[in-house]
Amino acid sequence: MSIRVLVCDDQALVRTGFVTILDAQADLDVVGEASDGRAAVELARRLRPDVVVMDIRMPVLDGIEATRELAGPGVADPIRTLVVTTFNLDEYVFQALRAGASGFLLKDATPQQLIAGVRTVAAGDALLAPAVTRQLIGRFGTRVRPADPAAAAGQVLAPRELEVLRLIATGLSNAEIAATLVISAETVKTYVSRILTKLDLRDRVQAVVYAYRNGLADPTQ
């Protein structure tokens, strides 16, 4: 079955480029386009795409608020959202992740990265670029830490799960975590699933944000 995609960007040239790239893939089907955030929300709710490719800076309603309405806390049936941005808008990216985005890409990403990103998010995984993620969330995560850091995680997670969460926060993949801890990738996958369930998190992006908000990762790394 094709992955149904909604493309949202206020720049017609960028939007057309994304549509052309995605529609050329046999397994991807662009079902709609939007040029502002409000139209994006309305179209997404009506069309129910598998993935929304969302720009951050758009008129009427920006991409962060549009993402929050589609995938934020309290949304009963969230729609997976992949945010695209430019590097100098990194604080907005962090806000978008907190708003419920399943990941992000930079606008200078290659066509192959865009295609892979849509497929990754559609599969229910988070799209994290490790180096960029560490810089973004490391820089802004400390601003939103609660008064009692790590308390909830320390009470809920087993020591090994806590260790895996800290490694997730550095942007490592399951395979990289497995190599670091000298365990199998399948075992890591099980730990990740337990962490998300115990902390009531949707995906790895939320796990990274959670780790920084709760003082479980060093933002200087």
Side-chain angles (χ1 to χ4, degrees), residues 12 17 134 152 182 221:
R134 284 197 296 272
V182 195
Q221 290 183 348

Side-chain angles (χ1 to χ4, degrees), residues 120-140:
T120 296
V121 170
D125 296 325
L127 181 67
L128 296 172
V132 180
T133 298
R134 284 197 296 272
Q135 179 167 350
L136 291 174
I137 300 178
R139 183 179 302 170
F140 299 108

Side-chain angles (χ1 to χ4, degrees), residues 9 18 28 33 49 52 75 83 85 111 120-121 133 140 151 156 161 168 175 182-183 193 196 205 212 219:
D9 196 296
F18 285 174
L28 303 180
E33 301 177 40
V52 176
V75 176
V83 168
T85 186
T120 296
V121 170
T133 298
F140 299 108
V156 174
E161 293 166 347
I168 291 173
V182 195
I183 57 179
S193 179
L196 298 182
V205 170
Y212 277 99

Side-chain angles (χ1 to χ4, degrees), residues 24-144:
Q25 305 304 305
D27 62 331
L28 303 180
D29 180 22
V30 177
V31 296
E33 301 177 40
S35 59
D36 67 72
R38 177 52 59 201
V41 171
E42 292 173 354
L43 267 179
R45 287 173 174 169
R46 178 162 58 86
L47 299 175
R48 300 300 304 179
D50 300 301
V51 178
V52 176
V53 176
M54 181 80 75
D55 185 23
I56 284 185
R57 304 190 81 174
M58 290 191 293
V60 185
L61 186 71
D62 67 36
I64 295 171
E65 290 305 317
T67 297
R68 184 173 288 111
E69 291 193 21
L70 294 175
V75 176
D77 190 13
I79 298 175
R80 296 183 179 113
T81 304
L82 173 62
V83 168
V84 290
T85 186
T86 53
F87 187 72
N88 63 348
L89 298 179
D90 47 6
E91 184 168 7
Y92 293 129
V93 176
F94 177 69
Q95 293 173 3
L97 297 182
R98 291 186 65 201
S102 291
F104 65 90
L105 282 175
L106 304 180
K107 278 194 173 179
D108 61 358
T110 66
Q112 291 73 24
Q113 289 172 327
L114 174 63
I115 293 164
V118 169
R119 288 171 177 158
T120 296
V121 170
D125 296 325
L127 181 67
L128 296 172
V132 180
T133 298
R134 284 197 296 272
Q135 179 167 350
L136 291 174
I137 300 178
R139 183 179 302 170
F140 299 108
T142 54
R143 301 183 186 179
V144 291

